[in-house]
Amino acid sequence: MAHEVVIASKDESDNLPVIGNYVSMSAGCKILGPVTVGDYSIIGANAVVTKDVPPRSIAVGVPARIVSMERDRKKQ
């Protein structure tokens, strides 16, 4: 986990994100609300995650979108 990473609920509820094992969270990323970030995923710098991220995926952007998954990389 890099600096200035935010992991929080979107409101005052207890709906916090669930972070899997071996997840890389780049500087300034935000993971908000009742989402799940799958094992071995990478969250890009300054990305804002508001939806689930499947295992072994790369998520970037605002709002975050999946740009690569392990099954996509195996085809190349």
Side-chain angles (χ1 to χ4, degrees):
M1 182 183 325
H3 59 88
E4 298 189 27
V5 170
V6 175
I7 301 171
S9 65
K10 286 185 178 182
D11 50 30
E12 295 185 22
S13 68
D14 292 331
N15 295 326
L16 295 173
V18 175
I19 309 298
N21 296 312
Y22 308 105
V23 173
S24 176
M25 293 174 272
S26 301
C29 73
K30 293 157 189 63
I31 303 172
L32 306 173
V35 299
T36 300
V37 178
D39 295 343
Y40 299 97
S41 292
I42 299 169
I43 309 301
N46 297 313
V48 177
V49 176
T50 58
K51 295 183 180 177
D52 290 346
V53 176
R56 300 181 184 272
S57 298
I58 299 172
V60 298
V62 180
R65 61 186 178 89
I66 307 304
V67 294
S68 180
M69 295 178 68
E70 181 178 343
R71 68 175 181 250
D72 296 335
R73 292 191 298 265
K74 286 182 178 180
K75 292 179 185 176
Q76 297 175 355

